[in-house]
Amino acid sequence: MHAHLAAQDDDMWYVITNGPMKILKVSTTTTTTEGAPVMKEKPKHEWTAEDKRKVNLDNVAKDIIYNTFDKNMFSKIKSCSTAKEIWEKLTQLCEGNNQTKENKLMVATHKFDNIKMRPRETMTEFDERFSSIAIEISTLGKTYINREIFIKVMRALPRE
């Protein structure tokens, strides 16, 4: 059962990154010049239950993605016709191009460099805010060694 779920997850990721699955079968009438079999689309009347499941995966993936987002984000992806198109649009919206990433990194680094614990802010609140910035920077590809982070935290705390 576990192997079946893993294969299903692999199929879902395939659909998201490569587009809807095509159901193929070996052509009995055509081969390549090297004698290898040629694949052709399998007629719908020959589809097995597994073939139908694979064809429907694009719809399943789109439904999962649609139900994940609020109305604002949904309005940005609703025109996409496949899960792959949605994924590419989301990647573009969330990550941006190289210039956008550089700008995001510059802003995050500035926040990191200038972070200070606020008056009446608890250690938990400060830790959450600091961690959020550190995760953002890490996501954008910059890393700090533990010593740099420790020094930054110590300098950000008030004297008392």
Side-chain angles (χ1 to χ4, degrees):
M1 183 69 173
H2 181 68
H4 175 70
L5 291 176
Q8 191 168 337
D9 288 347
D10 289 345
D11 289 345
M12 182 73 73
W13 187 244
Y14 176 90
V15 166
I16 290 170
T17 57
N18 295 295
M21 288 192 175
K22 295 189 184 322
I23 305 302
L24 304 174
K25 71 175 193 173
V26 175
S27 172
T28 56
T29 58
T30 315
T31 59
T32 64
T33 54
E34 294 83 31
V38 171
M39 302 302 287
K40 68 176 187 177
E41 282 204 46
K42 187 190 260 187
K44 284 185 180 183
H45 70 272
E46 293 180 18
W47 285 3
T48 65
E50 179 65 8
D51 293 338
K52 291 174 186 174
R53 183 194 68 78
K54 286 182 177 184
V55 165
N56 194 46
L57 278 177
D58 189 63
N59 292 326
V60 173
K62 287 190 302 188
D63 189 53
I64 291 169
I65 294 169
Y66 288 155
N67 288 314
T68 305
F69 293 108
D70 61 18
K71 290 178 185 176
N72 180 44
M73 186 59 86
F74 176 76
S75 69
K76 295 175 183 176
I77 61 173
K78 69 181 180 184
S79 64
C80 298
S81 60
T82 66
K84 180 182 181 194
E85 286 179 26
I86 294 170
W87 183 254
E88 290 169 349
K89 180 77 168 184
L90 289 171
T91 301
Q92 178 188 14
L93 289 169
C94 297
E95 292 183 5
N97 59 27
N98 286 339
Q99 184 62 47
T100 305
K101 287 180 190 177
E102 286 178 32
N103 291 342
K104 286 180 181 180
L105 181 58
M106 186 173 67
V107 169
T109 302
H110 181 74
K111 285 192 277 187
F112 182 84
D113 290 342
N114 295 300
I115 194 167
K116 296 282 183 211
M117 190 170 183
R118 298 173 180 153
R120 294 184 298 283
E121 184 175 37
T122 67
M123 280 302 294
T124 302
E125 291 167 336
F126 173 74
D127 181 57
E128 287 175 6
R129 198 163 53 91
F130 184 85
S131 294
S132 175
I133 294 168
I135 290 167
E136 182 180 0
I137 288 172
S138 175
T139 302
L140 292 166
K142 181 170 175 123
T143 56
Y144 288 98
I145 59 173
N146 287 341
R147 184 174 191 279
E148 290 174 303
I149 293 172
F150 176 76
I151 290 169
K152 175 50 65 185
V153 169
M154 295 309 292
R155 288 186 179 155
L157 298 174
R159 288 190 186 269
E160 48 298 335

